[in-house]
Amino acid sequence: MGRRSKHSLWVLLFFLSLLTWSVQGCMLKPGREPSTLTYKLPTKITVAAGEALPGTDIRYEYMDEKGAHILINGQEAIKRKGDSLDWRGSPVPGVSVDLSLRVVWYTEEELYLVGTAKVVIQEVNPRAGGVRTSSPIKYSGPVVYNLAKGAKIPGSTVSFEGQTEEGAKLGGIEGYPYRKVGDSIFWEGQLRDDVYIRLDVRVIQFDERGLRVGGLVTLWLGT
């Protein structure tokens, strides 16, 4: 494993430890699944000169000694390092996105942004299948879930069926259904038309009362 891979792994574990501590008292119960899912994810976006921020009408034009020249709703804005760049809208039907970004760097070729993306998805109906990774609109970030027996991981068909001698028993997946602490759970599919999801999480803890998992969620919007 290279130095960059090790660094990324430790960053992920650090975020998971913080998130695990913060959600210990929140357990998802079995029953009717929510029709709306909300994700608030850290994000970084790179926009090439002459192109728009994916899914938006914000366009990076060029840079000069004044700063980065950006078109917002047809009006020119000059942004410098540290300046805000926000956007709200619906890039695909049934999905609203609220971007809260900051300019971290720009060159003649590219504009670099970091911040958060709040993604709200309506009328979700998770179904397993392949994902369309070619979509230019992509958001990814850490998630942690506490599941009571019978509850599902949000945005998937995977459920916690209880504690056994073989490990935590899962429902809604293909193949071997048992996982022990540290084992991975991988699931991907669609939440609704043109909205794809990949869950790559691991078992943090489980007992007869519930299951705790944490890892990464990735969303692709559009075709």
Side-chain angles (χ1 to χ4, degrees):
M1 182 182 294
R3 180 178 299 176
R4 179 173 296 181
S5 297
K6 290 181 179 179
H7 176 73
S8 299
L9 177 60
W10 280 112
V11 169
L12 173 59
L13 292 174
F14 173 73
F15 275 111
L16 289 179
S17 65
L18 291 180
L19 288 169
T20 302
W21 179 84
S22 66
V23 300
Q24 286 179 358
C26 180
M27 180 169 286
L28 300 172
K29 304 293 185 181
R32 185 176 180 180
E33 303 304 314
S35 62
T36 300
L37 292 177
T38 300
Y39 299 92
K40 190 170 184 180
L41 306 171
T43 189
K44 60 179 181 179
I45 300 174
T46 302
V47 185
E51 296 186 1
L53 186 66
T56 79
D57 56 1
I58 297 176
R59 183 181 177 92
Y60 177 42
E61 294 292 288
Y62 63 93
M63 66 159 286
D64 59 17
E65 68 279 0
K66 296 180 181 179
H69 292 247
I70 299 171
L71 285 182
I72 304 175
N73 294 327
Q75 295 181 312
E76 184 181 65
I78 298 177
K79 298 287 184 177
R80 301 176 65 85
K81 287 184 287 185
D83 285 354
S84 64
L85 186 60
D86 299 338
W87 182 85
R88 295 178 183 175
S90 179
V92 297
V95 180
S96 64
V97 174
D98 187 346
L99 294 175
S100 180
L101 306 170
R102 292 278 174 179
V103 175
V104 293
W105 194 255
Y106 47 86
T107 67
E108 292 181 355
E109 292 80 26
E110 294 177 318
L111 173 71
Y112 301 90
L113 306 164
V114 297
T116 59
K118 182 180 179 182
V119 184
V120 181
I121 307 168
Q122 307 282 350
E123 298 179 2
V124 299
N125 180 30
R127 52 193 185 274
V131 298
R132 188 167 293 172
T133 60
S134 59
S135 170
I137 308 175
K138 174 185 175 182
Y139 303 111
S140 184
V143 290
V144 173
Y145 297 116
N146 288 340
L147 309 176
K149 185 176 179 180
K152 293 180 180 179
I153 299 177
S156 79
T157 61
V158 182
S159 62
F160 174 54
E161 299 302 315
Q163 181 183 24
T164 72
E165 292 183 357
E166 291 83 3
K169 184 178 181 181
L170 304 178
I173 63 170
E174 294 184 358
Y176 191 73
Y178 302 101
R179 300 292 190 277
K180 295 185 177 180
V181 172
D183 286 351
S184 62
I185 302 171
F186 183 87
W187 189 92
E188 59 183 19
Q190 281 186 268
L191 295 177
R192 54 174 294 144
D193 290 345
D194 292 331
V195 180
Y196 301 87
I197 183 172
R198 174 179 292 160
L199 285 162
D200 192 357
V201 300
R202 290 186 179 270
V203 175
I204 298 172
Q205 184 270 337
F206 68 91
D207 55 28
E208 68 277 1
R209 296 174 299 173
L211 168 72
R212 182 180 302 150
V213 300
L216 291 175
V217 62
T218 303
L219 303 171
W220 290 269
L221 310 178
T223 56

